[in-house]
Amino acid sequence: MEENIKKDNIRKEENIVYKKTKLMTDKVLSYCPGCGHGTIHRIIMEVVDEMGIQSETLGIAPVGCAVLAYEFMDIDMQEAAHGRAPAMATAMKRLMPEKYVFSYQGDGDLAAIGTAETIHACNRGENITMIFVNNGIYGMTGGQMAPTTLPGMKSSTSPYGRDIVTMGNPLKITELIAQLPGTYFVTRQAVHTPANVRKTKKAIRKAFENQKLKKGLSFVEVVSNCNSGWKMAPVQSNEWMVENMFPFYPLGDIKIEGELVK
Amino acid sequence: MKELRLMKGNEAISEAAIRAGCDGYFGYPITPQSEILEYLMLEKPEERTGMIVLQAESELASINMVYAGAACGKRVMTSSSSPGISLMQEGISYMAGAELPGLVVNVVRGGPGLGTIQPSQSDYFQATKGGGHGDYHIITLAPSSVQEMADFVKLAFDLAFKYRNPALILSDGAIGQMMEKVEFDEHRPRFTDEEIRKNTPWATTGKTPDRERNIITSLDLDPARQEIHNIKLQAKYRKIEQDEVRFEKIACDDAEYVFVAYGTSARICQKAIQLAREKGIKVGLFRPITLYPFPKKEINELSKKVKGMLSVEMSAGQMVEDVLLAAERNIKIEHFGKMGGIIPSPAEVVEALEQKIIGG
């Protein structure tokens, strides 16, 4: 009996149901256990691998928790200044139109300091893929209020809850950029369940394939948890996300093939 | 074949960029340099050489487009004037940190703040001492004619790529707006994708199986490694200071006094030399062409042979600090300048020489 539970007896080809994503490096992820970033990284790399475009893909890492994304993705990448990734992606795609270019940003990066770059890249209809991870908080700097922090939600800079009178309303930037004629595909997804992971992966694949069509910008928002910043256990944070984030940021496609979804 | 044209300094920058094999220009309008973007849009360089031109939403976007293009191994540039260059300092610092070659043109106007649209040289400190956050320098070239506006584009690109460092052309509203004849070189072809992979093996051109992935970043959270990176940057700057100093000396052989001036001020000083010599004052001009690296050694040598030096700048006196650091201190060294967009006349320069240096 003891012989059978040795690692070598278990690690057999017929027992393998899941493998490490080929284009993820061996570097240990710097994310908190329970965070969605690792899953999102993985499915982007799965898409790049499955499309066979590793040598044609250029990525941009943000400022925020995913600042070290280039440590984990086995592709050529550039690290952006805070908020500037869409401007960078614009130049990369214009200068190398045959490449697949994607930016990866959080809510503070994309919807606060980089709002101008986000709106104008979308409005120009740059032929790129923008990945937007929205967890309603500044994770890396220690849980401060983000542009997407929900009304009443507590953070280290809204310790009594977000007061919309003095702190403004959360910004639904995804709905906003969907209004612009330059965006071709706009969707909001999540990665808290296997079914949602599959949907998000499908959306990201479509967002990459759209670059071949040269019809505009593809924008994938992923509503994700920040268990550390929200000060919750991982499972509890996902439950809180479903109950509180999803009603405000409803999942699903917002714009398909340049047309708003009714 | 060389081609002779009559054009503005700003237009010369644009035409020279097309001919220097520039891959992309990203800019935002601001007086007194908007002709750079206007000329490029009119000229359609994409049809001539494949060069991309894009009007960005801001100077922040422009410089980050340059950052990203340079990180792909492309010859890319932007231009602006003083307030816009202030906005770009973030991106320039990131480029210095990530060791990216790119060209920035500053057609300087008077400040501080929104200041004026008239010419000035009040961005010297910003240009030569780093400008943004962190310990860094950018190679700074100061043209004093429309011809040099054109010539320095190619030179700046070459120096930027030689050292993997941003380069700046520090011009001013007068050189940018005035028209002169300018002779252009033939087109230098843009780098091919193959050449880029060979010349800039560090660039993000797509990870192929024959190499590790390329990462362009200015971040290293480990202080020990960040210190090593900074030491490496400083060693590069010492090498630049040793090998890339450029300057011009006019009428210095018999000079008892010298003007030290660059750009528009150097042009004014050339006339002032004539006026002074008519009065019997033996004065010459030392014109730094590279403001960083600053010609310290040459100014020191010259200071041993003359009785005094007058640093003439359209500012409150910025370069004069470098002249004072470089020169022997037993001679008289003063600053003369005008601020706020006022250009001094040659007669005023001679008067300043007489009062501050000869009589002072």
Side-chain angles (χ1 to χ4, degrees):
Chain A
M1 188 65 188
E2 227 167 73
E3 282 292 300
N4 290 338
I5 56 165
K6 276 186 177 170
K7 277 187 202 166
D8 290 345
N9 291 331
I10 296 166
R11 281 181 183 164
K12 284 177 180 166
E13 193 64 32
E14 63 265 28
N15 290 336
I16 293 173
V17 290
Y18 189 78
K19 282 184 184 171
K20 174 176 160 287
T21 305
K22 200 177 131 204
L23 297 187
M24 288 293 283
T25 65
D26 291 334
K27 186 93 180 175
V28 176
L29 289 173
S30 50
Y31 303 109
C32 306
C35 169
H37 271 304
T39 309
I40 303 165
H41 283 19
R42 175 169 62 74
I43 54 182
I44 296 170
M45 286 301 99
E46 282 177 6
V47 165
V48 171
D49 184 32
E50 286 161 20
M51 287 176 72
I53 55 170
Q54 181 191 22
S55 64
E56 298 155 70
T57 302
L58 306 177
I60 304 169
V63 169
C65 286
V67 68
L68 293 171
Y70 54 77
E71 296 271 358
F72 313 124
M73 300 184 186
D74 191 18
I75 52 167
D76 280 5
M77 285 192 83
Q78 299 184 17
E79 164 52 34
H82 202 23
R84 317 296 173 222
M88 289 170 56
T90 297
M92 289 155 80
K93 189 71 179 186
R94 297 272 183 133
L95 289 161
M96 305 176 92
E98 73 286 0
K99 300 288 182 205
Y100 292 85
V101 177
F102 77 92
S103 57
Y104 187 106
Q105 295 177 272
D107 37 61
D109 194 276
L110 182 139
I113 195 166
T115 312
E117 286 80 3
T118 299
I119 287 178
H120 286 279
C122 289
N123 194 48
R124 286 190 301 262
E126 297 297 339
N127 189 28
I128 56 172
T129 299
M130 288 179 70
I131 312 282
F132 168 38
V133 182
N134 176 12
N135 57 17
I137 207 156
Y138 286 80
M140 189 178 71
T141 43
Q144 292 83 9
M145 183 177 67
T148 51
T149 298
L150 296 177
M153 184 173 162
K154 286 183 181 173
S155 74
S156 65
T157 52
S158 57
Y160 306 107
R162 183 178 191 149
D163 170 18
I164 57 165
V165 176
T166 57
M167 298 166 177
N169 286 287
L171 181 60
K172 292 187 177 183
I173 193 139
T174 307
E175 277 81 356
L176 198 153
I177 60 99
Q179 302 297 319
L180 305 173
T183 50
Y184 183 69
F185 173 51
V186 181
T187 189
R188 181 183 285 123
Q189 301 293 337
V191 290
H192 63 306
T193 69
N196 286 91
V197 169
R198 280 195 290 276
K199 277 188 193 171
T200 303
K201 184 176 168 184
K202 209 173 146 196
I204 289 173
R205 169 121 192 181
K206 191 169 171 183
F208 272 82
E209 283 174 343
N210 282 347
Q211 292 198 35
K212 279 190 258 182
L213 303 175
K214 298 183 167 59
K215 285 193 174 172
L217 188 141
S218 295
F219 190 101
V220 181
E221 173 179 340
V222 185
V223 180
S224 190
N225 63 331
C226 177
N227 40 283
S228 296
W230 297 353
K231 306 196 188 311
M232 296 174 195
V235 173
Q236 185 198 3
S237 73
N238 278 324
E239 287 163 0
W240 189 89
M241 177 174 75
V242 173
E243 282 166 27
N244 298 278
M245 294 284 277
F246 291 176
F248 199 86
Y249 301 110
L251 305 188
D253 291 339
I254 298 168
K255 197 175 193 182
I256 304 171
E257 294 181 4
E259 298 293 331
L260 286 167
V261 178
K262 295 255 165 140
Chain B
M1 208 181 70
K2 299 256 187 184
E3 195 184 334
L4 202 60
R5 304 265 290 271
L6 176 71
M7 55 190 349
K8 283 187 174 188
N10 287 338
E11 295 166 339
I13 291 266
S14 307
E15 180 60 31
I18 300 170
R19 290 171 185 251
C22 180
D23 295 299
Y25 170 94
F26 307 92
Y28 185 78
I30 182 171
T31 308
Q33 64 80 55
S34 296
E35 293 87 355
I36 298 175
L37 176 58
E38 288 169 355
Y39 183 96
L40 286 170
M41 284 296 186
L42 197 63
E43 196 59 31
K44 294 184 179 172
E46 193 162 8
E47 290 174 13
R48 271 173 67 181
T49 66
M51 173 184 171
I52 302 296
V53 186
L54 180 68
Q55 179 169 336
E57 60 270 32
S58 69
E59 289 89 349
L60 293 176
S62 304
I63 193 66
N64 283 284
M65 288 171 180
V66 170
Y67 173 106
C72 294
K74 300 283 185 180
R75 278 195 285 237
V76 286
M77 66 181 288
T78 185
S79 66
S80 190
S81 181
S82 310
I85 298 290
S86 291
L87 281 171
M88 290 185 189
Q89 292 305 323
E90 174 197 54
I92 295 171
S93 169
Y94 277 60
M95 287 180 72
E99 294 195 85
L100 293 175
L103 170 59
V104 178
V105 179
N106 183 0
V107 183
V108 180
R109 58 190 252 184
L114 209 45
T116 170
I117 58 170
Q118 299 301 324
S120 181
Q121 294 180 314
S122 46
D123 295 354
Y124 178 91
F125 283 152
Q126 185 197 53
T128 61
K129 310 299 176 195
H133 60 283
D135 278 322
Y136 74 93
H137 287 286
I138 54 175
I139 298 161
T140 305
L141 301 168
S144 74
S145 65
V146 174
Q147 183 67 55
E148 283 188 339
M149 288 285 257
D151 294 345
F152 288 0
V153 171
K154 192 198 264 181
L155 176 63
F157 272 127
D158 289 347
L159 290 172
F161 274 84
K162 183 176 175 184
Y163 293 99
R164 271 191 72 175
N165 202 68
L168 176 81
I169 293 179
L170 189 73
S171 177
D172 62 64
I175 307 279
Q177 290 297 327
M178 75 183 183
M179 292 183 91
E180 284 185 314
K181 69 175 179 188
V182 51
E183 199 175 62
F184 286 104
D185 290 336
E186 283 199 58
H187 286 76
R188 174 169 73 175
R190 291 170 52 234
F191 288 132
T192 62
D193 288 351
E194 262 176 45
E195 284 168 336
I196 288 174
R197 280 183 181 273
K198 190 168 153 283
N199 299 341
T200 52
W202 46 264
T204 55
T205 50
K207 189 211 169 297
T208 43
D210 58 339
R211 66 159 169 84
E212 290 297 305
R213 69 192 193 283
N214 283 340
I215 295 164
I216 299 296
T217 182
S218 58
L219 176 75
D220 199 325
L221 295 169
D222 177 353
R225 284 202 306 265
Q226 188 61 258
E227 186 189 33
I228 290 167
H229 176 60
N230 268 274
I231 289 168
K232 187 183 144 208
L233 289 180
Q234 293 301 318
K236 176 168 81 174
Y237 303 143
R238 298 298 91 79
K239 176 88 175 135
I240 291 169
E241 286 164 12
Q242 189 188 305
D243 293 349
E244 302 301 344
V245 167
R246 286 165 171 79
F247 60 91
E248 184 187 22
K249 283 201 278 192
I250 295 173
C252 284
D253 287 348
D254 66 340
E256 293 180 339
Y257 304 97
V258 286
F259 298 124
V260 184
Y262 67 94
T264 292
S265 291
R267 298 285 290 257
I268 296 160
C269 286
Q270 285 187 55
K271 184 67 184 172
I273 289 170
Q274 282 178 22
L275 297 181
R277 284 189 177 254
E278 282 165 15
K279 289 183 167 186
I281 304 166
K282 288 181 178 171
V283 59
L285 168 66
F286 185 92
R287 178 170 79 93
I289 291 172
T290 50
L291 299 180
Y292 182 84
F294 192 69
K296 290 180 197 168
K297 189 164 62 87
E298 292 74 12
I299 286 193
N300 181 268
E301 282 164 11
L302 192 58
S303 71
K304 291 173 186 165
K305 297 174 192 162
V306 297
K307 295 177 186 168
M309 290 179 157
L310 185 68
S311 181
V312 180
E313 308 164 61
M314 298 184 315
S315 73
Q318 300 189 12
M319 183 176 69
V320 67
E321 293 190 5
D322 285 334
V323 176
L324 281 163
L325 283 170
E328 296 291 319
R329 298 303 292 272
N330 56 355
I331 62 163
K332 187 97 179 153
I333 297 170
E334 292 287 344
H335 158 76
F336 172 69
K338 293 281 195 173
M339 295 177 287
I342 301 292
I343 301 177
S345 72
E348 286 174 317
V349 173
V350 175
E351 196 187 324
L353 177 72
E354 288 175 312
Q355 286 179 1
K356 293 186 163 194
I357 304 293
I358 302 172

